[in-house]
Amino acid sequence: MAVTAGKLNTFSFFKLPSAWWCGVRLKYIDKERAVVTVRYKWFNQNPFKSMFWAVQGMAAELTTGAMMIDQIEDSGHKISMLVANNTANFSKKATGKITFTCEDGNLIKDALDKTIATGEGQTIWMKSVGVNEEGIIVSTFNFEWTVRLKL
């Protein structure tokens, strides 16, 4: 069963309530790309009148994690996933509607295939870029995902 934006947004309400209440929403997903939006509002702001960095991180992580969930489900195996590391760069104040996009879904299948074939955990780095309504990059996040077979 394929992961859809609607299913993932419902999942976030129950399992990621902080992201849901902050307005983080998956808008598009396929095997190679995921798009998440979040709008700057009073409840996700920082004292500098822009979006709190952690809210941006939740939106960015969801672009990578949604594709990971989708492809793990497609594999038919019980595989755990966990973020081991991340880096972030903030280049402009995040105000208005911010759109995060990850186009690294093509990296996931290879890591899943290797962990299924060898039984050894695998890691991949995935990048998510956030842009404002003018198309200007406001932040860039990199996440190191680990995957391994559940025993």
Side-chain angles (χ1 to χ4, degrees):
M1 175 170 37
V3 171
T4 65
K7 287 179 190 175
L8 226 303
N9 290 329
T10 299
F11 170 84
S12 74
F13 177 78
F14 291 104
K15 299 295 185 181
L16 304 168
S18 295
W20 194 88
W21 286 109
C22 284
V24 174
R25 299 293 185 273
L26 180 66
K27 295 298 183 179
Y28 177 83
I29 185 170
D30 65 23
K31 298 299 181 206
E32 295 186 13
R33 184 170 158 265
V35 178
V36 169
T37 61
V38 61
R39 185 171 293 281
Y40 166 69
K41 295 190 177 190
W42 74 267
F43 50 81
N44 64 21
Q45 71 179 330
N46 62 29
F48 310 106
K49 298 185 177 156
S50 64
M51 192 180 299
F52 185 53
W53 70 268
V55 175
Q56 294 178 65
M58 288 188 291
E61 184 184 354
L62 187 58
T63 62
T64 62
M67 288 188 291
M68 188 73 72
I69 290 167
D70 181 46
Q71 293 192 40
I72 287 172
E73 193 173 287
D74 283 354
S75 79
H77 290 82
K78 292 186 182 280
I79 298 173
S80 65
M81 56 186 264
L82 183 67
V83 171
N85 288 292
N86 80 290
T87 63
N89 178 286
F90 302 91
S91 48
K92 184 164 178 64
K93 282 178 119 176
T95 58
K97 183 179 179 182
I98 308 301
T99 301
F100 286 90
T101 304
C102 176
E103 297 180 335
D104 292 338
N106 60 311
L107 303 174
I108 299 168
K109 186 173 181 340
D110 186 47
L112 295 178
D113 289 346
K114 284 180 183 173
T115 200
I116 291 165
T118 66
E120 297 175 11
Q122 302 293 314
T123 64
I124 56 171
W125 280 92
M126 298 175 74
K127 179 171 75 171
S128 183
V129 178
V131 300
N132 64 17
E133 292 162 296
E134 291 78 41
I136 298 168
I137 295 173
V138 299
S139 58
T140 302
F141 286 79
N142 293 286
F143 297 95
E144 181 186 29
W145 282 98
T146 62
V147 292
R148 69 175 180 81
L149 283 172
K150 290 182 181 180
L151 301 175

